[in-house]
Amino acid sequence: MRIVVQEQDFSAATETADFGKGPDVGAVVTFSGIVRDLPDDPLQQMVIEHYPGMTEKALTKIAQEASTRWDLRDVLVIHRYGALSPGEQIMMVATAARHRAQAFEAAEYLMDYLKSRAPFWKKEVTAASADWVDAKDSDEAALDRW
């Protein structure tokens, strides 16, 4: 298991080149999140803040929970912080398991957690404003299914 919180970009290909290698791994699932633009007012930056130490601890805890719940062989979570522009990678989740259903479900679980409960604070900066992003009911509903 590897949890990384970093400012710099990452290469999904490099990060997954040796991920999940093993005789009992039958599936690897990866997901990368991208900063998307806003529909009405172009996004200049998404500013992401976190508390070092606390964030890694929280992400490790949820990754351990997912590993146990879905009998995962490996987990990777990378999440960036700092000022990001539209089109930049914001995060990545990878899961490895014996069977694809376990790998897919665990990846979705981790993504839902990162979206709604992980200790990151996001501010959308446009030419007109700079607003903190509020939690969405749809994100909470997605996490409730677990």
Side-chain angles (χ1 to χ4, degrees), residues 80-101:
R80 295 180 63 199
Y81 65 90
L84 306 175
S85 299
E88 287 192 71
Q89 297 182 112
I90 188 171
M91 55 77 68
M92 178 182 174
V93 167
T95 56
R98 288 184 56 82
H99 302 285
R100 67 179 174 183

Side-chain angles (χ1 to χ4, degrees), residues 72-120:
L72 299 178
R73 301 304 189 253
D74 206 354
V75 176
L76 169 65
V77 176
I78 300 172
H79 203 294
R80 295 180 63 199
Y81 65 90
L84 306 175
S85 299
E88 287 192 71
Q89 297 182 112
I90 188 171
M91 55 77 68
M92 178 182 174
V93 167
T95 56
R98 288 184 56 82
H99 302 285
R100 67 179 174 183
Q102 292 175 325
F104 272 108
E105 287 177 15
E108 279 193 279
Y109 173 75
L110 290 166
M111 290 180 289
D112 287 343
Y113 173 82
L114 287 169
K115 184 75 172 170
S116 61
R117 297 281 169 83
F120 291 99

Side-chain angles (χ1 to χ4, degrees), residues 4-16:
V4 181
V5 178
Q6 65 187 33
E7 193 166 8
Q8 68 271 19
D9 198 6
F10 58 88
S11 164
T14 300
E15 296 294 342
T16 58

